Amino acid sequence: MSTTKDLLRFATAGSVDDGKSTLVGRLLYDTKSVLADQIEAVQRASVDKGLTTPDLSLLVDGLRAEREQGITIDVAYRYFSTPTREFVLADTPGHVQYTRNTVTGASTAELAVLLVDARHGVVEQTRRHAAVLALLRVPRLVLAINKIDLVDYDEAVLTAIAKDFAGLARSLGFADEAVVTIPVSALVGDNVVDRSAHTPWYEGPTLLGHLESVPVTPPEADAPFRMPVQYVIRPRTQELHDYRGYAGQVAAGIVAAGDEIVVLPGGARTTVASVETADGPLTAAGAGRSITILLTDDIDISRGDVLASAAHPPRVTSEFDATLCWLAEKPLRPGARLLLKHGTRTTQVIVGALGERLDTDTVAYVEAPEQLAINDIALVSLRTADPLPVDDYATDRVTGSFLLIDPPSGNTLAAGLVGSPLKVAP
């Protein structure tokens, strides 16, 4: 009998040349998640580069420019599994000019692996990426101290770097128990999948062991119920003449038959009659589950509406403050008229005043800029044409996030977070 395994979404981050792609390649290689022809291709390419051992980063850096420069540019998604868990991994770039790609890769992560070079410790890019991860409310963090073979497996080096990073993590709002430090060598495999004999002083888990055992319940599971309506199902057949179901994916919380809900932005209240799937009815459905909800009352509901807990509804507003990560080459100026996509609803939006900008080098907010350039992160006020049911991103990562879109081209211009989710300690 087949059983469904847990799924963990995680991302890697860190400075240039800290070994992120090599670490990902090592995970894939040591978990036997790589096809034989891929390994052969990597071996051939490694020989061509004059290397005596396979360059495992080539398993991840797929773009030609990445291979030639030895850096990661795009977000590389990899899928692998072990007997206990399935994984979706996003390998993000280390260069400062690709901060927007780091935001993309970490936006859906339940855990992030932040690499530092054991020889250099916490550097500017470490602080920058830690700030981005805190801003995106990634709930768990692994500080992977890489290249420990190059410092002779010195325990004192690990202790000093871990202590330095702990202060930074606390200032960004990470709880001590949310951060785990693991000494690794991606090149030779120490403590990545197999425990290293070179670190007898380290008593914690290997990286894979931690990834297999860390809780995977997302923060949204404990939040009040939210479900953007994606599609209204009306079969109009002889057997299902009066059937009217509201399909979508549960964004947060749990819904069950008998629950009282509110339909937003309209505000009508009703009760859930049943929760159904293609495989039959469910007693209850939680965050991440795609379902169809039937209601006890006939209400005018359409795509873009949000079904929410009647006891704890989101606020409905057409004006709110948000944090933007600007992703486009063209700068953003106050007064811009764009499209805003929130859940399954798209509406027009006018950009108001720009607020403080996050200086990711110092991890502090500085004075408001006149415009936002690519990779800038700043506070901004927005006014939408239609009222939206929104939560603060700090309490719900799904219903507290949105995209800004260029109307003529349809290109995504910015990732938005409702409110100011990053609390930088003084």
Side-chain angles (χ1 to χ4, degrees):
M1 187 175 88
S2 63
T3 58
T4 302
K5 291 187 286 187
D6 287 334
L7 173 67
L8 175 68
R9 299 177 183 272
F10 72 102
T12 60
S15 188
V16 179
D17 295 330
D18 277 352
K20 295 183 302 301
S21 295
T22 301
L23 180 70
V24 174
R26 172 64 63 182
L27 271 173
L28 297 175
Y29 185 80
D30 284 0
T31 56
K32 297 178 174 57
S33 303
V34 185
L35 297 176
D37 59 342
Q38 291 177 297
I39 296 176
E40 291 174 3
V42 167
Q43 290 173 336
R44 287 195 302 270
S46 300
V47 170
D48 292 342
K49 293 170 64 176
L51 302 177
T52 57
T53 58
D55 181 359
L56 297 179
S57 69
L58 297 177
L59 291 171
V60 179
D61 289 336
L63 300 179
R64 177 177 297 178
E66 295 178 330
R67 294 194 298 268
E68 292 175 349
Q69 299 177 50
I71 63 173
T72 299
I73 297 173
D74 199 9
V75 180
Y77 290 95
R78 293 294 179 267
Y79 308 87
F80 68 100
S81 65
T82 66
T84 58
R85 180 167 285 178
E86 294 181 343
F87 301 93
V88 178
L89 184 157
D91 182 32
T92 66
H95 282 67
V96 61
Q97 62 263 42
Y98 302 126
T99 298
R100 56 178 176 167
N101 301 59
T102 303
V103 170
T104 301
S107 61
T108 58
E110 297 153 357
L111 178 147
V113 179
L114 181 58
L115 271 75
V116 298
D117 190 320
R119 299 168 299 174
H120 306 141
V122 176
V123 296
E124 196 172 89
Q125 188 70 329
T126 311
R127 297 173 59 84
R128 182 178 294 114
H129 279 170
V132 170
L133 297 174
L135 177 73
L136 294 172
R137 310 295 286 185
V138 178
R140 302 171 189 86
L141 195 60
V142 174
L143 178 66
I145 303 178
N146 193 25
K147 305 185 182 182
I148 55 173
D149 53 313
L150 300 183
V151 295
D152 297 324
Y153 302 96
D154 189 346
E155 181 182 7
V157 171
L158 170 75
T159 303
I161 295 175
K163 183 178 179 181
D164 187 17
F165 184 78
L168 170 63
R170 290 191 195 101
S171 72
L172 294 172
F174 285 105
D176 289 346
E177 59 271 17
V179 181
V180 173
T181 302
I182 303 176
V184 301
S185 172
L187 184 64
V188 297
D190 292 305
N191 296 327
V192 179
V193 172
D194 300 315
R195 181 169 295 280
S196 173
H198 297 112
T199 56
W201 41 265
Y202 174 67
E203 298 179 350
T206 63
L207 177 59
L208 182 63
H210 180 67
L211 295 176
E212 286 184 318
S213 60
V214 70
V216 295
T217 304
E220 293 77 25
D222 297 325
F225 168 65
R226 306 282 189 267
M227 192 190 86
V229 176
Q230 185 173 12
Y231 187 69
V232 179
I233 301 176
R234 289 295 308 277
R236 301 181 187 273
T237 62
Q238 191 65 36
E239 298 80 9
L240 300 170
H241 184 73
D242 296 320
Y243 186 98
R244 188 192 299 265
Y246 305 98
Q249 185 177 75
V250 180
I254 298 174
V255 64
D259 288 352
E260 185 181 4
I261 63 171
V262 60
V263 182
L264 298 173
R269 290 178 173 245
T270 184
T271 302
V272 176
S274 64
V275 178
E276 299 184 353
T277 70
D279 298 322
L282 298 175
T283 303
R289 190 70 186 263
S290 296
I291 59 172
T292 299
I293 290 179
L294 276 67
L295 304 175
T296 57
D297 302 295
D298 287 332
I299 300 175
D300 183 15
I301 300 174
S302 58
R303 174 182 168 85
D305 288 340
V306 174
L307 308 184
S309 164
H312 303 283
R315 60 191 172 106
V316 178
T317 180
S318 57
E319 296 186 17
F320 58 92
D321 294 329
T323 303
L324 286 187
C325 177
W326 190 248
L327 310 175
E329 298 283 352
K330 181 181 178 181
L332 173 69
R333 296 181 176 88
R337 294 174 179 268
L338 307 171
L339 294 178
L340 184 149
K341 186 178 188 304
H342 175 260
T344 54
R345 179 185 291 268
T346 300
T347 184
Q348 295 177 328
V349 63
I350 297 177
V351 177
L354 301 182
E356 294 179 310
R357 180 179 66 85
L358 177 66
D359 185 337
T360 52
D361 295 338
T362 61
V363 194
Y365 282 103
V366 297
E367 64 182 25
E370 294 183 359
Q371 63 183 29
L372 292 189
I374 187 170
N375 291 318
D376 276 350
I377 298 173
L379 304 177
V380 64
S381 61
L382 300 172
R383 186 169 80 250
T384 57
D386 301 307
L388 298 175
V390 298
D391 292 288
D392 282 349
Y393 187 85
T395 57
D396 193 322
R397 291 201 301 170
V398 178
T399 54
S401 60
F402 60 90
L403 298 175
L404 292 186
I405 299 170
D406 181 41
S409 67
N411 293 334
T412 299
L413 301 176
L417 318 174
V418 178
S420 177
L422 181 60
K423 309 298 181 184
V424 180

